[in-house]
Every structure is written in C-alpha cells, then in structure tokens.
Amino acid sequence: MPEEIELKLAVDPRDVSRLRNSHILRTSSTIHTPRTRLISTYYDTPSSSLQDSAIVLRVRKSGREWVQSVKMNAAGPGSHMRRSELESPIQSDRLNLREIEDAGVQRLIEKRRGSEDLIPVFTTDVARERWRLRLGRSQIECAIDTGSVVANGKRAPISEVEL
C-alpha cells in the first residue's frame, strides 16, 4: 500500500487568491493543474466504529469517474497525518466493499462494522487546484480546496491547503 504524509491547513477564504498568486506557486519550478470539482461522501457506522479504528472510507466523484478509497492509520503523531491508502475505481456513487483489492482490508472493515450498516456521514463538495512544487530533488503537491461540507442537513464552508 502506498503511504502518504499529509499536512492540512485551514486558510481564511479571503487569503486564497493571495496564496494562488504567491511567488512559490508562480515560479517556473511548479506544475499547475486547473480547478477540478470533487464531490466526496464519507461513510461510517452509526456508532463511528471505523473512525474509532482510524479508518476512513470514502467515495469520490471527479469528473465522470468514481473512486472508492480506504485510508488507514489516519491518526498520526504531531500535526501531520501518515496513512496508507487504497483506491478502487467503481461504477457509481454506491459504496462497494467487494471492489477493495486487498482481502485483508475488506475483512478488517467488515470486522469493525460488525452488524451495523455503513451509512453516509458527511459530504464535501470542493473545487481543487493543484501545484506540484519542485524543491531541489524533492516534490511536494500543494492543493487548495474551497467549497463546503454537508452533514445532518447543515452546511459549513471549507477553505484549506493540503501539502
């Protein structure tokens, strides 16, 4: 399973354009990807058994494609998140645990959920812009997400930077 380290930072929506126009994102050593819309629905049991086990289960729509993701070991030390991630293309917005390629991960999710159903907990709808930064021999992806999160009939804005 590939491992990623994420650092997510909340950013004031009024500062997003300033960040987009910052020197580091405008240098010739960056590759910019235009905005894409991402709609993601996160699932858990009513008792939050996946969250309690540091498992994130998500279905995301990007363009016309649907991808199901399982992220594990989400609780990392310090202010970053270190996690393993499995992604599987799926045919629709419906969660399909049989599409998880790793049978051990399938069994782990089934064990953690027990007899409970997996239900949508919240949905995010964001516009994401990405820059791939080259710093010496290192590469860092910088993503700016702006949009909203909806849960229990309530909506809240999202404005964050992810490295």
Side-chain angles (χ1 to χ4, degrees):
M1 244 185 275
E3 183 177 74
E4 66 179 22
I5 297 174
E6 292 181 358
L7 176 63
K8 291 189 180 200
L9 307 167
V11 62
D12 189 303
R14 297 171 294 193
D15 293 328
V16 169
S17 83
R18 186 171 160 200
L19 179 59
R20 275 189 196 112
N21 293 313
S22 67
H23 173 72
I24 195 163
L25 296 183
R26 293 287 178 206
T27 66
S28 60
S29 62
T30 62
I31 300 169
H32 179 244
T33 303
R35 283 182 215 169
T36 55
R37 185 176 182 199
L38 302 174
I39 302 171
S40 304
T41 301
Y42 293 79
Y43 291 83
D44 205 340
T45 62
S47 66
S48 303
S49 62
L50 296 184
Q51 178 182 329
D52 293 345
S53 300
I55 298 171
V56 176
L57 183 58
R58 167 187 83 201
V59 172
R60 172 175 281 167
K61 182 179 183 190
S62 177
R64 295 181 185 192
E65 298 178 359
W66 294 95
V67 176
Q68 178 175 269
S69 300
V70 179
K71 297 183 181 192
M72 299 173 50
N73 305 320
S79 61
H80 68 278
M81 299 184 98
R82 179 181 226 103
R83 57 173 67 156
S84 300
E85 181 173 359
L86 282 174
E87 290 190 337
S88 313
I90 55 176
Q91 299 302 311
S92 71
D93 63 344
R94 297 187 59 106
L95 193 60
N96 186 346
L97 298 182
R98 291 183 306 262
E99 293 295 329
I100 298 172
E101 294 178 7
D102 186 317
V105 172
Q106 278 184 23
R107 284 190 301 274
L108 177 65
I109 291 172
E110 290 294 344
K111 181 179 177 183
R112 294 295 184 256
R113 75 182 262 209
S115 62
E116 293 185 277
D117 288 332
L118 291 169
I119 58 170
V121 178
F122 65 93
T123 299
T124 62
D125 186 347
V126 299
R128 173 172 284 175
E129 261 182 291
R130 288 191 256 189
W131 291 262
R132 187 162 311 273
L133 310 172
R134 291 191 183 122
L135 302 171
R137 295 179 300 192
S138 301
Q139 286 192 9
I140 300 171
E141 181 181 88
C142 173
I144 299 176
D145 291 342
T146 55
S148 61
V149 59
V150 177
N152 298 322
K154 296 180 181 174
R155 179 179 302 272
I158 292 174
S159 183
E160 67 182 22
V161 174
E162 180 179 310
L163 302 173

